[in-house]
Structures are given as structure tokens and as C-alpha cells.
């Protein structure tokens, strides 16, 4: 039940949202500077190496394109109060399908790529039908498709087949540069710009937040809830397919186990960026910043000599990311709790999740 | 907590981390060569035992050895770690490649910076490294496993295979060679099933139990993933079918010693992993010092003696069979 | 009876599966392999029972796999250090409880969303364990496996303990006040608060209980073999949540039973051996699992529509 106090607090929420992104930006600049200072050096061979090199920065950009795309795909989904655990599995499935289309069916690269994106959207449509159409809980549906898509990828390849030997023209998507930046970065920027326009400047996009805030209220307000909700899942599928193409081009190989575990970091990036996991609140800018903070953290830590010597880059960055996520959550929730206690009310009962 | 205070705390935390980083950066050993060794996955006991031999070699040669790898087999992470080593400016890198093509880009970069590259256990693309230290060819491994299985089954009967995951590259290679040998030499034997265990000993145990139950005439379970061998052995033991269903596989002596002594496992096939690490480090250092050049036909590695080089592959030798008689001589 | 329609349909599916196996793969019904399967899955069932509590309270915990791994390794190390099993088991339970309480404090105390909190914990705990153990097996001394007793006695002990635990927990959920409070909080936290219940404490308790049960499950797993693999909890969260969901526990809270979750776990646990016995290739397994989860969700959705209409 939304009380008048909640409406009043929504203005406070908007102010807070802005502050959250600024904070994130500050954190990003801070960590970047720290890693630049401590992670760049002249190595034993006399070359300048480490975090501060252009090479390294491009690598960070390259590595974050796929998770970034998945995070972008998840943003409208989570804004609208849903969730999609299946995006990384869908990436794997699309990668394998692309491999089959180009290798087994001999289709040209562009046709195969187009077909892959279409199939990705179709798969997203399965989520859409079950979640928006049948009104099933997104957590369960995407838990099911998480296994189903990965399973289909394994079944299609019998687990064994790996597609490599792609045309150099295709590999350049993942490994070359265009106009001074890695090629996939341009794709990522294009998708990011498109997503920003969609979420923040279109009527449909604005409806996502309303739907996430209160689906029933949105329905009563006459918004096409079912259609828009279905749309975000289909869109997520299409973007996952694009990410699959980039992933395959970068590694030069399409395998059923592509991108295992990526969905967790994508979700972490979205939440870190200030989007509430319950929906109704968040922004694309926040997601981009979240991806940047996590990517810089992961890669930057790995350039610190002490971390290299400890052979613990992955573990330490994993743990720090976990802490960062908790800190970001605590940081955004504690003020609400404090004011709630002051008002002596339970407001939305923030620790109880609305029906997922 | 308001925003500025939170900012201050976060900033302090990061600054502390940074402060820890800088003094240690200055303690880089001057003058000592730095060799970097990467396993496919850091926790895998197989690679940890390679490290033992590598450490020994590093001590003998007076070089500094770095050992790092992904926690679970992850090609993208391997690339990142190679990048770090390029940053550090190591003298040579020895890598067990999870993904042949994927790692080659990073390795080529290293080579361009003057860092010497060898691969061991699992190869990268030929132009991305100078030599491949091969413990045994996939053919050697596959044939050894199949021959041993046939010997234990009397050249006839059903057997099943447990692998790591259906997509693991090394295991795929070995499986292909095993099936080839099976088709060529042992037409009276049948491979009834291949089940993945995801590198989990407990899952391997469940799979083995189901395999025995579903195939009552099963004579042997072969596990080509090392955590799967003790898992399958435990399953046979708990099923009370020791002796009726043989267990062999690619595994480490220490993990399987108990079962070998009890007669549950007949033999495990491997190669001396310590020697593999030892040889890899020696080769890497020799490359870095220009003592080992492309085109060489043989290579002498410290106390281990001479090793044959075929093309650009340094061969460790034939797979080694561990069984009840000799397993106590090994500790890895 | 319609109150339990969800659970009954799961039982129906389970019965159908078992019947199909009886017809096409009668080899499935052999005592020893079934005993082994049951003993292997008993720890998972214990964790699932804990998960039921948390899900009924309208939360979720995806870090149980990492908790399980930590408790297994801790238990193994204590046993290897000479502690008798009589002390190791409670120690494992305690460690699990502490991890659960940490989750509970963050979710109930600070009001953070459980899915993100437990996601962060999943990553942090797993990486912490990797840092510490580097994936190395823990070798257990003789006398740990099956508590030093024979295999049959050990298996019987584990199965009996699990059975008793499930029955007691189910009874407690229904008849003990705290149990009913979990349902209340999951249904409507605000209403339950007005009714005098303290939702924060109930939620905290649910997480702590899940942690303790995970610790117990880890101990039950440790005694089943002579070595502990640190990766052993990998993927457990998926299995447990799927079992709970298939078993009729509503993800929106307030509804569900332990025996439904048990049936759900049995359905999922039978998929793998069924494939082996039906000689179906292993690469279909994930797809089938996913399909089962989806079908369960669809069935629930259809039933809800029919009852709403």
C-alpha cells in the first residue's frame, strides 16, 4: 500500500538517485587514479607498462563490452521490476547457433549474424511470454531458461563441437581497432546510447519505471504493461545475441560454455549503478558507471605488483566486488531506514521484496 | 552516513590498498630472471604438483618463479594474467592454455615485447610460442588408457567413461584418441556411456553409481578427469563391486593412493607432473638465455637429462603407469 | 485438498517419472544404487528444507553453495586435526549458522534486498575459500567416513537422521509459533507486525536456520567419503532453489511445505540417473532440468489463473 509519505519521499528518491551516480563517478575516478599511480611503472625491460598504458585501457574496454552489454540488457528488465538470470546462457546458445549457421550451414557472416540476433530475440520471447503473458514469477522462469538455454547449447553441439576458424573479417570485430578504439567498443557505445534513449526519452522507456514501481497502478493508468514488459525481455535476448557475436569474435571460438557466470556480474553492475532490484528506480547511466567501476576494479587490482606476487588477482577482486556491492546497497538503504525510523513507519517494508 | 563521510571512508580504504601496493613494488628482485608459470586452474592438484617440479628447477637455476592462474579453467582470465606478466616484464612465460586461439593473442603480444613463451600440458597456436613442452601426445595418453582398459577387461566387454565437462578441450582430445584406438584394436569392447562430472568428485561418484546400475555388464570405469577417479573408486567401493568393476583413469597418486592399495583402482596413468613443471621451467629459462633455439633436436634439463625434441615439441616421454607396486615412490 | 494441489501435482509428476522408469529402465530399482543415491542427496534435502524457510519468508539465499563448501572444508580440516566427529558436526553447524546470521543481519537488520546480498556473499565466500584453500582436497583420517562404522550403518544413520529432521521441521513449521510466524511474515510483513509478530527477527531466524542446516548438511557430506573437495558446493544453490520451486513453494512467499520441496528434489535428483538408465546422452541433462522448472512454473501459473478466474 503506498502511503502519502511515500509520494513525498519520491522527490527525495530522485535527488538521491542523482547523488548515487555522482558518488559512483567519484569512486570510479578515485580507483582509476589509484591504479594509475600504483599500477603503472617502468618494467624491468625498460618499457612503460601497467594500468596507465593505452593498451591496457583498451583491454579493459574490450573485456567489459560483453558484461556491459548484458548489464545494459538487464537494466530495463530490472527497472520494470523483473529479472533475467538467463542472459549469459542465451549468450552461449547464440554463440553456438552462430557457429552452426556459419560453419554447418555455410551462411554468409551478415546473414548468420542477423539470424542469430533474431533467434536471440525469439528466445527472449520465451521469457516474455511466460513472464508478461502468463504472469509467472521472473525469478523462476529465468532460472528455468538459464538451464534450458545452456542445455540447448550443449545439446546442439553435443557438448563437444567447437566452432573456430572464423573469417578474419569477423574476428576483427573482437580483436581490432576502428578509429582508435576497439571495434566492439563502438558497438557497445551504440547500444548504450540506444538504451539510454529508450529508457530516458521515450514514453515506453518511462513506463518501465512505473511498471516496476507498481504494475497494478500502471495498468490502471492505462499503460500497456503486458506489451512493454514483454518487450524488455525480447530486447534483452537480442542484446545477448549481439554480445555473443562480440564474445565469439574476441575469443575466435564459439563453444557451449561461453560466458558462464557472466549474469552475476551483470546484475552486480546494474545494482551497483543504483538501480533498485525491486524496480521502479534506476538509470542507464548508473549501469554504465557500475560496469566501469567493476571492470576497472577487476583489471586495476591485477596490475598492482603486490597482487600479482600474491597470485590472488581473481580472488581479491571477487571479494572486493562483493564488499563494494554490499557497501553500495548499505549506502543507499541506510538513509531510508534512518528516516523511516524517524517517521516511525514501515514505508514499503524495504527488506520484504515485492512479488518478484 | 551521509555522502561525504562515505566518500571519505571509501577513499581511505582504497588509499590504504594503494599504499600497501607501492613499497612492495620496489622490492622486485633485481638481476634475477623472472619466469612465470600458468596452470589451467590454480587449485587443480595436477598443476600444483607441476609447480613442485617447477620450484625445484627455479631453485637450481637461481631464477624467480611466479605461479598464477584462474581458479577454475577460464580462458579469458588466462589472458588477463598474461597481460599482468607483460606488465611486470617477466623474462619468460610457460602456459597451459585453456583455449588455443584465445590465449595466442596475448602470447604474441608478450613475444613482441621480447618475452619468451613456451606452452606445456596444453598448446596454443604454433606462432604464439617457441616450444610446446608436451607431457605426452593426446595419442599417447589415449592409447595408454585404452590399452590398459583392454588389458584389464581381457579385450572384451563394456566400459564407461567419466569426463570433466562435455566442452573441456583436453578431455575431448583424449576421448577422440581413446575411441579411435577402441575402434581400431578392440572391436570386442564397447564404450557404453560418457558422463561429465564437472570436475566434482561427488558428482563423479553419483554418475559411476548410476552407470554401474544401468549397465549390469559393465566391466570398467575410466575417468579422464582427475577428481573423477577417486569419485568413481568410492562409488565402486560403496557398491561392493570391487574387483568386478575395475577403475582406471588419469589421476594423481596422492588422491588415489588409498584406493590403489585397497585394490579398488587398478592403475592410474599420468606422467610425472613434477618433471613436467621442471622441464617447462628449464626450457623457459634456456629460451630466455638464448641457449635453446628453434630447430634444436634435443634439450638437456638439469638432473633429468636429455629430452627429445620433435619439431617444436619437447617431449617429456611416455605416459607413466602408477599401480600398487610403485605408487609409494611418488608424492604428488 | 486444493490447498495442497501444488504439492500433489509434484507428487503426481514424481509418480509418473518413477512409473516410466519402472517400465523402460527397471534396472533403476536396485536397492544398493538407490541407497547410494538417497544418501548422496540427503545433504541437499537438508539444505532444501532450510531454503523452504527462507523462501516462505519471501526471501532468497543464493549463497548456500559457498556456505556448504566452507563448512565442508572447515569440518574436514577439524577432523583432520584430530577432532572427534561428535565435536566436528556441531562445529560445522555453528559455522553455517554464523554465515546464515551474517546474511540475516544484512537482510533483516539493514533491510538490504536478499537476492543482491546473497549474490555478494556467494562471490565473496567462494573467492575467500579459493584464496585460502586453492582447490586442494582435504584428506580425512580413517574413522571419519561413516563415523567409523560400517557403510550400511552409516548410510542408515544418515538417511534416518534426514528423515527425522524433515518430519520434525515440518511439524515445527505447522505447530510451533515461530513456524507459523514465518508464513505470516512471508504473506504480509506489515500485517504480521501489526499482529504483534516481529518480522525482522523472524527473517533473521530463517536465514540463521538455513545456515545451520547447511552446516549440518556439509557434515553429513563429509562423512560419506575419505576426502573433501573444496569445490563440492558448486552449483548447489541452483539445485536447491529449483527443487524448492518445483516442489510448490511460492517464490512470493507465504506458501509451501517441506514435503512438497522433498518431492521436488526427488524429481530433479532422478533426472540424471534416469538419463543414464535410459541411455540418453548426457548433453540433454541441462535442457531437461530447465524444461522441468519451466513446466512447474507454468503449471502453477495456470492453476492460479483458474483459481483467480
Amino acid at each position: 500500500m503506498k502511503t502519502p509519505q511515500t509520494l513525498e519521499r519520491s522527490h527525495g528518491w530522485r535527488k538521491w538517485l542523482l547523488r548515487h551516480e555522482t558518488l559512483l563517478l567519484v569512486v570510479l575516478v578515485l580507483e582509476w587514479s589509484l591504479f594509475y599511480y600504483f599500477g603503472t611503472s617502468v618494467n624491468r625491460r625498460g618499457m612503460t607498462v601497467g594500468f596507465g598504458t593505452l593498451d591496457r585501457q583498451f583491454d579493459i574496454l574490450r573485456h567489459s563490452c560483453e558484461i556491459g552489454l548484458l548489464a545494459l540488457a538487464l537494466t530495463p528488465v530490472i527497472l520494470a521490476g523483473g529479472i533475467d538470470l538467463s542472459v549469459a546462457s542465451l549468450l552461449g546458445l547464440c554463440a553456438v547457433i552462430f557457429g552452426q549457421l556459419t560453419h554447418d550451414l555455410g551462411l554468409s557472416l551478415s546473414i548468420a549474424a542477423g539470424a542469430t540476433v533474431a533467434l536471440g530475440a525469439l528466445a527472449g520471447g520465451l521469457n516474455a511470454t511466460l513472464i508478461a503473458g502468463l504472469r509467472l514469477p521472473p525469478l523462476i522462469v529465468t532460472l528455468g531458461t538459464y538451464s534450458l538455454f545452456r542445455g540447448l547449447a550443449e545439446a546442439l553441439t553435443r557438448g563437444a563441437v567447437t566452432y573456430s576458424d572464423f573469417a578474419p573479417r569477423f574476428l576483427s570485430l573482437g580483436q581490432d581497432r576502428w578509429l582508435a578504439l576497439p571495434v566492439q567498443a563502438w558497438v557497445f557505445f551504440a547500444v548504450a546510447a540506444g538504451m539510454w534513449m529508450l529508457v530516458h526519452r521515450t514514453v515506453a522507456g518511462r513506463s518501465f519505471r512505473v511498471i516496476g514501481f507498481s504494475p497494478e497502478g500502471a495498468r490502471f493508468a492505462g499503460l500497456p504493461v503486458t506489451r512493454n514488459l514483454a518487450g524488455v525481455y525480447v530486447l534483452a535476448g537480442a542484446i545477448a545475441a549481439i554480445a555473443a557475436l562480440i564474445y565469439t569474435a574476441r575469443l575466435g571460438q564459439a563453444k557451449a560454455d561461453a560466458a558462464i557466470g557472466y549474469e552475476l556480474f551483470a546484475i552486480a553492475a546494474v545494482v551497483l549503478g543504483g538501480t533498485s532490484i525491486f524496480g521502479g528506480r534506476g538509470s542507464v547511466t548508473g549501469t554504465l558507471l557500475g560496469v566501469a567501476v567493476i571492470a576497472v576494479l577487476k583489471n586495476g587490482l591485477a596490475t598492482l605488483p603486490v597482487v600479482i606476487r600474491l597470485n590472488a588477482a581473481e580472488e581479491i577482486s571477487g571479494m572486493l566486488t562483493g564488499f563494494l556491492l554490499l557497501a553500495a546497497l548499505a549506502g543507499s538503504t541506510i538513509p531510508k531506514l534512518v528516516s523511516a525510523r524517524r517517521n516511525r513507519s514501515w514505508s514499503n517494508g524495504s527488506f520484504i521484496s515485492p512479488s518478484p | 552516513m551521509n555522502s561525504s563521510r562515505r566518500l571519505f571512508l571509501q577513499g581511505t580504504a582504497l588509499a590504504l590498498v594503494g599504499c600497501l601496493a607501492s613499497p612492495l613494488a620496489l622490492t622486485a628482485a633485481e638481476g634475477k630472471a623472472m619466469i612465470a608459470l600458468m596452470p589451467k586452474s590454480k587449485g587443480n592438484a595436477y598443476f600444483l604438483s607441476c609447480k613442485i617440479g617447477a620450484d625445484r628447477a627455479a631453485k637450481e637455476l637461481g631464477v624467480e618463479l611466479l605461479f598464477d592462474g584462474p581458479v577454475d579453467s577460464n580462458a579469458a582470465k588466462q589472458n588477463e594474467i598474461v597481460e599482468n606478466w607483460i606488465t611486470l616484464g617477466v623474462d619468460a612465460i610457460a602456459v597451459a592454455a585453456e583455449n588455443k586461439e584465445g590465449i595466442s593473442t596475448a602470447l604474441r603480444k608478450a613475444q613482441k615485447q621480447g618475452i619468451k613463451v613456451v606452452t606445456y600440458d596444453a598448446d596454443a597456436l604454433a606462432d604464439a610460442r617457441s616450444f610446446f613442452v608436451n607431457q605426452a601426445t593426446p595419442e599417447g595418453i589415449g592409447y595408454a588408457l585404452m590399452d590398459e582398459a583392454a588389458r584389464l577387461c581381457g579385450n572384451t566387454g563394456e566400459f564407461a567413461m567419466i569426463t570433466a565437462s562435455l566442452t573441456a578441450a583436453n578431455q575431448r582430445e583424449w576421448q577422440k584418441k581413446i575411441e579411435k584406438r577402441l575402434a581400431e584394436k578392440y572391436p570386442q569392447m564397447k564404450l557404453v556411456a560418457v558422463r561429465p562430472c564437472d570436475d566434482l568428485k561427488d558428482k563423479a561418484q553419483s554418475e559411476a553409481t548410476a552407470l554401474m546400475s544401468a549397465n549390469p555388464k559393465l566391466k570398467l570405469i575410466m575417468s579422464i578427469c582427475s577428481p573423477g577417479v577417486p569419485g568413481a573408486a568410492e562409488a565402486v567401493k560403496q557398491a561392493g563391486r570391487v574387483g568386478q568393476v575395475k577403475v582406471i583413469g588419469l589421476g594423481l597418486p596422492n588422491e588415489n593412493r588409498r584406493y590403489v592399495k585397497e585394490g579398488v583402482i587398478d592403475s592410474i596413468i599420468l606422467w610425472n607432473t613434477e618433471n613436467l613443471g621442471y622441464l617447462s621451467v628449464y626450457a623457459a629459462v634456456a629460451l630466455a638465455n638464448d641457449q635453446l633455439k628453434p630447430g634444436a633436436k634435443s634439450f638437456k634439463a638439469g638432473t633429468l637429462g636429455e629430452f627429445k625434441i620433435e619439431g617444436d615439441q619437447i617431449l617429456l616421454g611416455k605416459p607413466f603407469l602408477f599401480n600398487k607396486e610403485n605408487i609409494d615412490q611418488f608424492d604428488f | 485438498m486444493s490447498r495442497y494441489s501444488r504439492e500433489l501435482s509434484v507428487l503426481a509428476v514424481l509418480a509418473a517419472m518413477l512409473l516410466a522408469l519402472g517400465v523402460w529402465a527397471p534396472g533403476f530399482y536396485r536397492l544398493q544404487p538407490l541407497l547410494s543415491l538417497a544418501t548422496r542427496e540427503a545433504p541437499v534435502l537438508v539444505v532444501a528444507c532450510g531454503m523452504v524457510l527462507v523462501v516462505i519468508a519471501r526471501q532468497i539465499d543464493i549463497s548456500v553453495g559457498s556456505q556448504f563448501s566452507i563448512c565442508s572444508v572447515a569440518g574436514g580440516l577439524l577432523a583432520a586435526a584430530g577432532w572427534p566427529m561428535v565435536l566436528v558436526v556441531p562445529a560445522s553447524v555453528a559455522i553455517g549458522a554464523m554465515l546464515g546470521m551474517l546474511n540475516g543481519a544484512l537482510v533483516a537488520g539493514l533491510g538490504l534486498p536478499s537476492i543482491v546480498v546473497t549474490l555478494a556473499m556467494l562471490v565473496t565466500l567462494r573467492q575467500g575459500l579459493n584464496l585460502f584453500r586453492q582447490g586442494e582436497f582435504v584428506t580425512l583420517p580413517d574413522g571419519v567416513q561413516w563415523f567409523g562404522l560400517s557403510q550400511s550403518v552409516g548410510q542408515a544413520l544418515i538417511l534416518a537422521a534426514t528423515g527425522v529432521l524433515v518430519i520434525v521441521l515440518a511439524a515445527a513449521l505447522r505447530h510451533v509459533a515461530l513456524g507459523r510466524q514465518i508464513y505470516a511474515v512471508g504473506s504480509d510483513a506489515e500485517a504480521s507486525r501489526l499482529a504483534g509478530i516481529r518480522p525482522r527477527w523472524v527473517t533473521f531466524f530463517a536465514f540463521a536456520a538455513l545456515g545451520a542446516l547447511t552446516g549440518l548438511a556439509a557434515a553429513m557430506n563429509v562423512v560419506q567419503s575419505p576426502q573433501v573437495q573444496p569445490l563440492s558446493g558448486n552449483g548447489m544453490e541452483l539445485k536447491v532453489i529449483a527443487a524448492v520451486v518445483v516442489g510448490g513453494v511460492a517464490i512470493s512467499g507465504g506458501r509451501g511445505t517441506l514435503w512438497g520441496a522433498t518431492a521436488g528434489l526427488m524429481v530433479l535428483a532422478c533426472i540424471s540417473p534416469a538419463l543414464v538408465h535410459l541411455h540418453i546422452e548426457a548433453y540433454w541433462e541441462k535442457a531437461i532440468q530447465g524444461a522441468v522448472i519451466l513446466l512447474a512454473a507454468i503449471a502453477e501459473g495456470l492453476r492460479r489463473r483458474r483459481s483467480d478466474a
Side-chain angles (χ1 to χ4, degrees):
Chain A
M1 252 299 261
K2 316 297 171 199
T3 66
Q5 286 153 314
T6 319
L7 289 172
E8 179 195 297
R9 231 193 311 283
S10 70
H11 287 288
W13 276 13
R14 233 192 305 277
K15 261 199 302 190
W16 169 246
L17 180 64
L18 269 169
R19 289 218 320 245
H20 185 107
E21 284 150 333
T22 326
L23 263 176
L24 216 52
L25 189 60
V26 173
V27 168
L28 178 63
V29 170
L30 210 72
E31 67 174 356
W32 200 93
S33 317
L34 271 162
F35 291 135
Y36 185 87
Y37 182 61
F38 291 113
T40 315
S41 52
V42 179
N43 76 358
R44 302 160 73 255
R45 312 181 84 84
M47 302 185 229
T48 308
V49 282
F51 190 81
T53 56
L54 207 58
D55 241 7
R56 196 51 188 247
Q57 294 299 309
F58 284 160
D59 279 327
I60 295 180
L61 195 50
R62 246 188 258 276
H63 291 157
S64 25
C65 276
E66 293 126 28
I67 291 198
L69 281 173
L70 292 182
L72 281 174
L74 285 177
T75 306
V77 170
I78 295 182
L79 269 180
I83 194 163
D84 190 345
L85 298 175
S86 67
V87 280
S89 304
L90 185 51
L91 195 161
L93 180 59
C94 289
V96 156
I97 287 180
F98 181 71
Q100 283 200 330
L101 290 176
T102 50
H103 285 62
D104 296 342
L105 290 182
L107 294 180
S108 77
L109 283 174
S110 21
I111 297 186
T116 306
V117 175
L119 283 167
L122 197 66
L126 176 61
N127 283 330
T129 317
L130 296 176
I131 297 174
L134 284 184
R135 314 255 202 112
L136 303 180
L139 191 66
I140 305 185
V141 169
T142 56
L143 193 69
T145 47
Y146 165 83
S147 291
L148 181 68
F149 291 156
R150 186 70 65 188
L152 285 176
E154 280 188 8
L156 279 176
T157 57
R158 286 174 301 291
V161 184
T162 304
Y163 298 101
S164 40
D165 299 327
F166 287 98
R169 213 164 34 103
F170 175 67
L171 293 178
S172 75
L173 169 63
Q175 297 173 18
D176 283 348
R177 296 199 201 151
W178 185 65
L179 291 187
L181 287 179
V183 180
Q184 64 257 62
W186 293 107
V187 177
F188 176 60
F189 292 150
V191 175
M195 187 58 75
W196 188 88
M197 288 291 295
L198 174 69
V199 169
H200 295 286
R201 287 286 179 269
T202 63
V203 175
R206 275 200 281 261
S207 78
F208 297 153
R209 253 172 290 185
V210 179
I211 296 173
F213 194 76
S214 165
E216 286 313 310
R219 224 167 242 126
F220 284 135
L223 290 173
V225 173
T226 311
R227 191 194 70 187
N228 288 5
L229 200 55
V232 294
Y233 286 102
V234 171
L235 186 61
I239 297 180
I242 298 177
L245 293 173
I246 292 181
Y247 182 94
T248 309
R250 181 168 67 89
L251 285 185
Q253 172 181 89
K255 253 173 113 173
D257 61 0
I260 286 189
Y262 277 30
E263 64 278 317
L264 294 185
F265 280 104
I267 293 177
V270 173
V271 172
L272 192 63
T275 303
S276 165
I277 197 75
F278 303 137
R281 186 163 61 87
S283 71
V284 171
T285 330
T287 300
L288 291 173
L289 285 171
V291 172
V293 167
I294 291 184
V296 168
L297 180 66
K298 230 164 35 118
N299 289 278
L301 269 176
T303 60
L304 297 178
V306 62
V307 173
I308 298 178
R309 283 239 178 22
L310 278 179
N311 304 325
E314 190 185 339
E315 289 89 340
I316 293 184
S317 75
M319 290 174 75
L320 275 183
T321 308
F323 286 141
L324 198 60
L325 197 54
L326 288 175
L329 280 178
S332 59
T333 322
I334 288 180
K336 260 199 281 165
L337 269 184
V338 166
S339 60
R341 189 155 293 152
R342 222 183 291 135
N343 295 340
R344 284 179 166 278
S345 92
W346 273 89
S347 67
N348 288 344
S350 59
F351 78 100
I352 303 291
S353 66
S355 192
Chain B
M1 198 194 299
N2 65 21
S3 56
S4 55
R5 206 178 334 151
R6 175 167 165 242
L7 193 57
F8 174 68
L9 280 175
Q10 282 187 335
T12 318
L14 282 169
L16 277 171
V17 169
C19 288
L20 282 173
S22 60
L24 282 159
L26 299 173
T27 62
E30 300 303 335
K32 247 187 174 184
M34 218 191 284
I35 311 292
L37 185 71
M38 187 186 318
K40 266 204 209 159
S41 91
K42 198 160 38 164
N44 195 320
Y46 169 86
F47 287 104
L48 287 174
S49 63
C50 287
K51 179 170 183 288
I52 295 178
D55 283 332
R56 202 172 71 230
K59 203 148 76 146
E60 286 174 13
L61 289 166
V63 300
E64 190 183 344
L65 183 68
L66 292 178
F67 180 81
D68 196 7
V71 178
D72 37 6
S73 304
N74 184 326
K77 291 250 169 358
Q78 282 201 324
N79 284 354
E80 287 174 33
I81 297 176
V82 171
E83 302 280 354
N84 298 340
W85 286 337
I86 299 176
T87 301
L88 258 189
V90 300
D91 294 290
I93 295 180
V95 171
E98 170 63 27
N99 174 333
K100 205 174 190 151
E101 288 88 358
I103 194 122
S104 300
T105 318
L107 291 179
R108 277 188 212 110
K109 217 162 137 192
Q111 285 183 318
K112 246 191 283 191
Q113 301 230 347
I115 301 177
K116 300 287 190 230
V117 177
V118 297
T119 46
Y120 73 102
D121 181 77
D123 204 1
L125 289 176
D127 66 328
R129 53 36 173 194
S130 309
F131 284 96
F132 171 40
V133 181
N134 198 348
Q135 61 276 21
T137 52
E139 206 170 72
I141 295 167
Y143 286 13
L145 276 168
M146 189 62 234
D147 290 343
E148 179 68 5
R151 184 184 72 84
L152 288 169
C153 292
N155 286 6
T156 169
E158 298 181 348
F159 74 104
M161 197 191 300
I162 293 182
T163 181
S165 81
L166 296 173
T167 48
N170 257 11
Q171 274 78 8
R172 286 297 312 158
E173 270 304 301
W174 295 330
Q175 191 182 331
K176 262 193 257 177
K177 299 298 179 191
I178 291 172
E179 287 169 346
K180 181 158 169 262
R181 186 72 156 178
L182 171 67
E184 284 173 0
K185 254 190 122 183
Y186 306 107
Q188 301 219 319
M189 290 191 70
K190 185 160 172 254
L191 174 61
V192 291
V194 178
R195 304 283 309 180
C197 76
D198 296 331
D199 266 334
L200 292 174
K201 165 179 77 82
D202 296 339
K203 185 150 196 267
Q205 188 179 333
S206 306
E207 296 290 349
T209 308
L211 284 168
M212 282 189 287
S213 161
N215 304 285
K217 292 193 291 199
L218 194 69
K219 276 178 147 186
L220 179 138
I221 298 180
M222 181 197 295
S223 170
I224 58 178
C225 101
S226 72
V229 190
E234 186 65 28
V236 170
K237 198 169 155 202
Q238 288 192 15
R241 315 250 335 248
V242 178
Q244 298 165 15
V245 179
K246 314 265 182 207
V247 179
I248 66 170
L250 288 172
L252 291 166
N254 280 0
E255 279 177 10
N256 297 294
R257 189 184 309 273
R258 185 194 297 249
Y259 297 109
V260 172
K261 294 263 186 75
E262 289 173 3
V264 185
I265 296 180
D266 277 88
S267 40
I268 36 177
I269 293 178
L270 205 64
W271 36 88
N272 196 321
T273 44
E274 288 184 13
N275 287 356
L276 181 61
Y278 185 90
L279 180 56
S280 303
V281 169
Y282 258 88
V285 173
L287 260 180
N289 294 341
D290 267 335
Q291 288 165 350
L292 174 62
K293 296 204 193 14
K297 287 285 175 249
S298 76
F299 173 64
K300 181 167 186 300
T303 55
L304 286 184
E306 293 277 337
F307 289 91
K308 205 161 72 139
I309 301 183
E310 261 177 34
D312 55 5
Q313 290 195 19
I314 307 176
L315 299 176
L316 184 64
K318 275 195 162 16
F320 190 83
L321 208 99
F322 301 92
N323 56 22
K324 219 190 277 199
E325 276 87 50
N326 62 19
I327 198 167
D328 275 330
Q329 301 166 22
F330 300 91
D331 182 18
F332 63 93
Chain C
M1 257 305 132
S2 66
R3 194 153 65 108
Y4 293 119
S5 61
R6 231 354 243 300
E7 286 80 358
L8 287 175
S9 37
V10 183
L11 277 178
V13 169
L14 181 62
M17 266 183 82
L18 295 177
L19 205 67
L21 278 173
V23 169
W24 280 301
F28 183 75
Y29 292 101
R30 264 188 263 262
L31 181 61
Q32 188 278 325
L34 282 180
L35 258 182
S36 277
L37 178 66
T39 326
R40 280 250 122 254
E41 296 296 328
V44 185
L45 178 57
V46 172
V47 179
C49 288
M51 184 66 77
V52 169
L53 300 179
V54 167
V55 174
I56 290 180
R58 216 184 203 188
Q59 305 292 344
I60 197 160
D61 187 340
I62 57 177
S63 68
V64 284
S66 310
Q67 291 178 29
F68 184 87
S69 299
I70 290 183
C71 294
S72 299
V73 170
L77 288 174
L78 289 175
W83 285 35
M85 284 315 286
V86 134
L87 287 180
V88 171
V89 175
S92 178
V93 172
I95 294 175
M98 284 195 291
L99 292 172
M101 287 196 271
L102 185 54
N103 281 337
L106 290 170
V107 173
L110 289 184
L112 308 180
S114 58
I115 187 165
V116 187
V117 166
T118 55
L119 169 62
M121 290 297 280
L122 183 162
V123 174
T124 311
L125 291 178
R126 183 190 294 179
Q127 299 296 7
L129 184 63
N130 285 336
L131 193 60
F132 171 63
R133 196 65 202 166
Q134 306 281 329
E136 207 184 318
F137 279 34
V138 178
T139 310
L140 301 169
D142 295 325
V144 171
Q145 193 174 9
W146 309 123
F147 298 103
L149 308 162
S150 80
Q151 178 182 321
S152 347
V153 175
Q155 280 182 333
L157 207 62
I158 290 177
L159 288 174
T162 310
V164 166
L165 187 70
V166 174
I167 293 177
V168 166
L169 272 175
L173 257 186
R174 279 209 76 184
H175 299 291
V176 172
L178 192 51
R180 303 205 80 102
Q181 285 175 0
I182 296 180
Y183 280 101
V185 168
S187 272
D188 190 332
E190 183 62 12
S192 66
R193 189 188 67 88
L194 291 170
I197 299 173
R198 291 154 62 170
R200 283 194 199 272
W201 281 109
V202 172
T203 308
F204 178 79
F205 169 76
F207 278 101
L210 173 57
L213 286 168
T214 307
L216 180 62
M220 285 168 75
N221 192 43
V222 164
V223 298
Q224 290 192 38
S225 54
Q227 299 171 96
V228 177
Q229 184 183 20
L231 288 180
S232 54
N234 271 21
M236 179 174 277
E237 50 276 322
L238 175 65
K239 209 170 170 187
V240 167
I241 293 175
V244 160
V245 156
V246 167
V249 181
I251 208 81
S252 50
R255 231 167 9 93
T257 59
L258 281 186
W259 54 276
T262 309
L265 182 62
M266 284 173 74
V267 168
L268 289 170
C270 283
I271 292 180
S272 190
L275 290 185
V276 178
H277 281 85
L278 293 170
H279 300 289
I280 297 178
E281 293 289 353
Y283 47 75
W284 287 109
E285 193 171 316
K286 285 209 183 82
I288 294 180
Q289 267 176 0
V292 168
I293 297 175
L294 286 177
L295 288 173
I298 293 175
E300 160 77 356
L302 289 176
R303 185 169 323 109
R304 235 192 310 133
R305 284 196 148 187
R306 227 181 319 128
S307 70
D308 281 346

